[in-house]
Amino acid sequence: MNIAILGGTGKEGAGLGARWALAGHHIIIGSRDEERARTKAGEMRERTQRVTIIGHSNLDAARLGDVVVIALPALGLDVALPPLREACRGKVVVSTVVPLTFGGPRLFTPPPAGSSAEEVQALLPGSKVVAAFHHIAAHELAETAHAIECDLLVCGGDADAKAVVTALGTSMGLRTVDVGALTNAGPLEGITAVLATINRRYKLKNSGIKITGL
Amino acid sequence: MNIAILGGTGKEGAGLGARWALAGHHIIIGSRDEERARTKAGEMRERTQRVTIIGHSNLDAARLGDVVVIALPALGLDVALPPLREACRGKVVVSTVVPLTFGGPRLFTPPPAGSSAEEVQALLPGSKVVAAFHHIAAHELAETAHAIECDLLVCGGDADAKAVVTALGTSMGLRTVDVGALTNAGPLEGITAVLATINRRYKLKNSGIKITGL
């Protein structure tokens, strides 16, 4: 599958891309700065020893992807996404975006839409948004020789789209837990605030969560 | 320790009370309806074979408790709590309240304060509020012969108060994870929406969470 990762030069996006490349997928790293995307893709090819990683502008990446993964900062989606609307139409769009504000009075700062994923869905109305991959630490993704100790929690309004994302999770060894409709994306994104706080307090880089009783 | 549980006639409050009574604590079940509280306390004495469980009005329970646990519905705190302000002054107050709205457009519906726990703190300004015990399923609590498969996530502004709550968790066999300041209570409460959805989708009664990497 061709997976475009917008904002893929960041740690989380690049970590997902590396895991998926190793699982046999074709990766298009997207960036505002096409040159940076190409450089990052080159580094990732070297690290993973997979040639199926290329770099493009966010727009060209979105055009080439069967699935489009949004790994952009929460602030600025309203500027970054509207130009990509046609490129994303009809596609599965995975929002990994977490609305966290470091250094302010409150770490978890969801937008008026309730969650970043719902904001993405509003900005890309023709796409099928699934919220997922918020809790898999970049540090865990980067250690590609090790299994990831975290469940994949997903929510979204389209069952087929969730099945595609579940398959992407399975391809990197994750158990998927279906957390219902996209209106649950706020609580999912909030868990990242919990994990970020735990990482800071306990001096960790890779806390994660597992659902018990399942 | 004397533990008052306001709204303790509900499943979650009664479950916590039974576990704590078995751990050697003295439990005061509080209710708007004192007679209901007495009846519930009697049932709990019979079930646990512990005589250290009594029933009172919410106000008298709050007066008698060293620690006051709020197990009330999220809606109506602004009516229920102001009369208890003096009774709770200087005490550790544990908010287990989860702002969920079933049957509406959105399950997780935090109040303007950001979380129910922050609302509790604003309504009981002289107390030390800790948000905790949102994720331990009532069904798990009720099975007192079994260990609970869930971490205890706590947040709050007072380190000593969090230590008291940690000890209460330890007394029922839980591992505590410190999730920082009370401004993280929203994300903690939101996790209950995630677990409630998982319970419904997977036909469970007792999903929970564990933090990995810790």
Side-chain angles (χ1 to χ4, degrees), chain B:
Chain B
M1 187 169 272
N2 295 338
I3 307 173
I5 306 177
L6 313 188
T9 56
K11 278 185 187 174
E12 186 75 17
L16 290 170
R19 289 273 179 173
W20 282 322
L22 289 169
H25 295 293
H26 293 222
I27 306 302
I28 310 111
I29 295 294
S31 171
R32 276 186 304 184
D33 178 345
E34 184 166 356
E35 194 50 41
R36 267 190 80 204
R38 286 211 190 97
T39 304
K40 187 71 187 181
E43 290 169 17
M44 289 171 66
R45 284 194 297 269
E46 195 158 336
R47 191 154 57 79
T48 59
Q49 294 292 300
R50 290 291 186 283
V51 296
T52 54
I53 307 172
I54 60 175
H56 269 291
S57 69
N58 279 329
L59 178 58
D60 284 335
R63 283 184 179 134
L64 290 166
D66 302 314
V67 169
V68 180
V69 177
I70 314 285
L72 297 164
L75 283 178
L77 292 174
D78 55 336
V79 174
L81 295 187
L84 311 176
R85 196 169 290 173
E86 285 314 310
C88 292
R89 192 170 294 280
K91 293 181 182 174
V92 175
V93 168
V94 182
S95 174
T96 73
V97 183
V98 284
L100 302 189
T101 303
F102 293 92
R106 191 177 288 273
L107 183 54
F108 182 53
T109 45
S115 64
S116 290
E118 287 160 290
E119 188 182 358
V120 169
Q121 183 65 82
L123 291 165
L124 301 175
S127 70
K128 299 167 215 163
V129 174
V130 176
F133 296 105
H134 313 88
H135 314 130
I136 321 293
H139 191 266
E140 283 275 279
L141 290 167
E143 301 278 327
T144 50
H146 296 94
I148 298 166
E149 202 192 351
C150 190
D151 282 336
L152 174 60
L153 275 51
V154 306
C155 70
D158 187 290
D160 293 337
K162 282 199 278 196
V164 169
V165 176
T166 296
L168 290 180
T170 305
S171 77
M172 63 171 80
L174 299 175
R175 176 178 76 158
T176 300
V177 182
D178 184 345
V179 186
L182 206 62
T183 52
N184 268 339
L188 283 198
E189 295 169 5
I191 292 173
T192 309
V194 171
L195 297 177
T197 302
I198 290 169
N199 281 345
R200 197 172 41 202
R201 292 189 85 83
Y202 292 89
K203 302 192 196 307
L204 304 171
K205 287 182 175 173
N206 60 342
S207 68
I209 71 160
K210 285 265 192 190
I211 300 297
T212 59
L214 196 61

